Amino acid sequence: MLNKILFSSFFSLILFFTSLSAYDLKSNMLLLNAELSEVQRAFITSNQQGVINSIKRFASHAKELLGNKEKFKAMLPKDKQSRANEAVMAANIIEHNVQIILDATANKYKQSGKVRREEAQRAYTYIEHACFRCHNIVRDGQ
């Protein structure tokens, strides 16, 4: 009897943590999506400080979630864990393009406003592409 209770408690605990991991992944993806939308709104309204603040926040969460292969792998279902490398690659692409955006907003290379805006906006689209690519491969397997 005690073995049955322990087994069912252990099994329930495993199911709880499995569903918690899935929820954690989904909630983190929703957070990243909201933060990326903030960046886009700041670009559209020409709010340079908003771009800086929102892209830094997004970058921090993206690196934390996607940059650690083992942590990300643990959030995936068993049949998709081999795809965790895609998340790490996306994190690297995001990090690189965030730096381009930050350099453009700081006018690091003394470029015209038009060139800096275009480079920053292009970097933003590369970030979006990295997200979509990772989703397509990890979620859909394509």
Side-chain angles (χ1 to χ4, degrees), residues 46-99:
S46 297
N47 178 353
Q48 185 170 330
Q49 193 57 48
V51 169
I52 294 167
N53 294 341
S54 56
I55 198 69
K56 284 181 178 179
R57 192 170 34 255
F58 169 78
S60 171
H61 290 133
K63 185 174 184 168
E64 182 182 320
L65 177 66
L66 306 172
N68 184 321
K69 180 183 172 185
E70 293 307 314
K71 182 178 176 183
F72 191 80
K73 185 177 175 180
M75 287 187 262
L76 293 173
K78 290 276 186 218
D79 63 326
K80 295 185 178 189
Q81 288 184 344
S82 63
R83 300 176 189 164
N85 285 333
E86 293 302 325
V88 174
M89 186 183 332
N92 291 336
I93 292 168
I94 289 168
E95 184 176 29
H96 173 74
N97 284 288
V98 163
Q99 192 57 54

Side-chain angles (χ1 to χ4, degrees), residues 5 14 82 97 104-105 116:
I5 293 171
I14 288 173
S82 63
N97 284 288
T105 57
R116 288 184 293 128

Side-chain angles (χ1 to χ4, degrees), residues 94-111:
I94 289 168
E95 184 176 29
H96 173 74
N97 284 288
V98 163
Q99 192 57 54
I100 290 171
I101 292 169
L102 293 174
D103 289 348
T105 57
N107 199 11
K108 183 176 180 179
Y109 300 109
K110 309 296 183 217
Q111 299 167 315

